[in-house]
Amino acid sequence: AAGQPRDSPYRFTGISASSPLVWLSRGYAILEGPALPIIGSAAEGVEPNDTYIKQLVAGARAAVQEVVRRGVTDPRRIAVGGHSYGAFMAANLLAHAPDLFACAVARSGAYNRTLTPFGFQAEERTLWEAPETYMAMSPFIHADRIKKPVLLIHGEEDTNTGTNVIQSERFFAALKGNGAEVRLVLLPHESHSTRGLESVCHTLAEMSDFLDKHTSVEAVEAAAAKAAAKASEAAAVTEAKGEKPMSKL
């Protein structure tokens, strides 16, 4: 039977600017490339992306629960990140599974699928054939649900189909407009992948500062206290609105 090798036991360990070893060397635990399969059902006529969000969240939740079960990480201090389609997935996870992650780093992603109306990745249907799927999969549409910090990084001259820099610029505006904590870093003269030494070092520095700031014990405790205070304030307002007006004497 034919087989497709996915890796080799004879490969040397290497380190690059995008290698998880960079973060491992700085004391972070890394879950590299967790399998988050998105599948459909030909028998039932269901395309994979019709249940994309549900499957993505289920896979991420299982991965987080497993590393927590193994005692590898503090569940309050987990960040999610990715490049290109990985950035798109990270943004969706922050929108639809905010309890799983403290923050997200998204590099050179596509966040509004109406800007890729003739298909993307394995999606062969157009926006007009599957509008509900396109809208559901677009984190831009759900920007009002994202309350955790986001770092967006994008090359100003991204020539990759579907990930024009306008994707990050518009997503940044949507997040900012809805009150989210977000930072946008645009890399001059860079395309879809970062090549220049200055840009590579800048990207690493931005990510390092961002992760140190938002995954520290102090940061997660402060965020929890802020959320509790906001919830208490909302409850007080609700209770006040529910009070009966005083009768006139």
Side-chain angles (χ1 to χ4, degrees):
Q4 180 180 1
R6 298 180 60 119
D7 206 346
S8 169
Y10 307 109
R11 189 175 60 159
F12 288 98
T13 298
I15 187 168
S16 67
S18 60
S19 170
L21 296 180
V22 171
W23 308 107
L24 187 65
S25 69
R26 299 196 63 248
Y28 287 91
I30 303 296
L31 179 59
E32 183 186 11
L36 301 176
I38 307 296
I39 60 176
S41 173
E44 299 177 6
V46 177
E47 294 290 334
N49 284 338
D50 289 343
T51 54
Y52 173 84
I53 297 299
K54 181 179 179 180
Q55 293 188 71
L56 177 67
V57 170
R61 191 172 299 279
V64 168
Q65 289 175 345
E66 180 60 18
V67 293
V68 171
R69 184 190 69 80
R70 295 188 183 193
V72 173
T73 186
D74 180 343
R76 304 171 303 163
R77 301 168 60 197
I78 302 176
V80 62
H83 175 264
S84 195
Y85 205 73
F88 165 70
M89 296 175 78
N92 265 314
L93 284 171
L94 221 56
H96 300 286
D99 59 307
L100 293 180
F101 304 103
C103 59
V105 177
R107 297 168 48 211
S108 304
Y111 311 105
N112 183 352
R113 285 302 170 192
T114 67
L115 297 178
T116 56
F118 293 100
F120 54 91
Q121 296 296 107
E123 180 56 67
E124 298 180 350
R125 296 169 297 179
T126 69
L127 167 63
W128 299 275
E129 292 172 323
E132 296 84 3
T133 297
Y134 273 69
M135 297 293 280
M137 291 180 69
S138 297
F140 174 85
I141 302 298
H142 307 287
D144 60 319
R145 301 180 60 172
I146 297 178
K147 305 303 179 184
K148 299 291 182 68
V150 183
L151 173 62
L152 299 172
I153 302 175
H154 214 122
E156 281 191 324
E157 298 179 20
D158 193 332
T159 57
N160 188 59
T161 303
T163 57
N164 185 281
V165 67
I166 195 174
Q167 290 276 5
S168 285
E169 292 173 335
R170 293 293 183 265
F171 192 37
F172 170 79
L175 291 170
K176 200 73 173 177
N178 281 285
E181 182 177 347
V182 56
R183 178 174 174 79
L184 173 62
V185 178
L186 298 180
L187 304 173
H189 312 299
E190 294 290 351
S191 186
H192 192 56
S193 297
T194 307
R195 302 296 185 188
L197 176 61
E198 296 85 352
S199 298
V200 169
C201 291
H202 189 168
T203 297
L204 288 173
E206 290 281 355
M207 292 173 63
S208 180
D209 290 346
F210 180 82
L211 293 173
D212 286 349
K213 178 180 178 181
H214 296 293
T215 61
S216 67
V217 174
E218 294 78 14
V220 296
E221 289 181 348
K226 183 178 179 180
K230 188 174 182 179
S232 178
E233 181 181 348
V237 170
T238 301
E239 184 178 347
K241 288 183 177 180
E243 291 178 353
K244 294 181 180 180
M246 295 179 63
S247 301
K248 293 183 179 179
L249 296 176

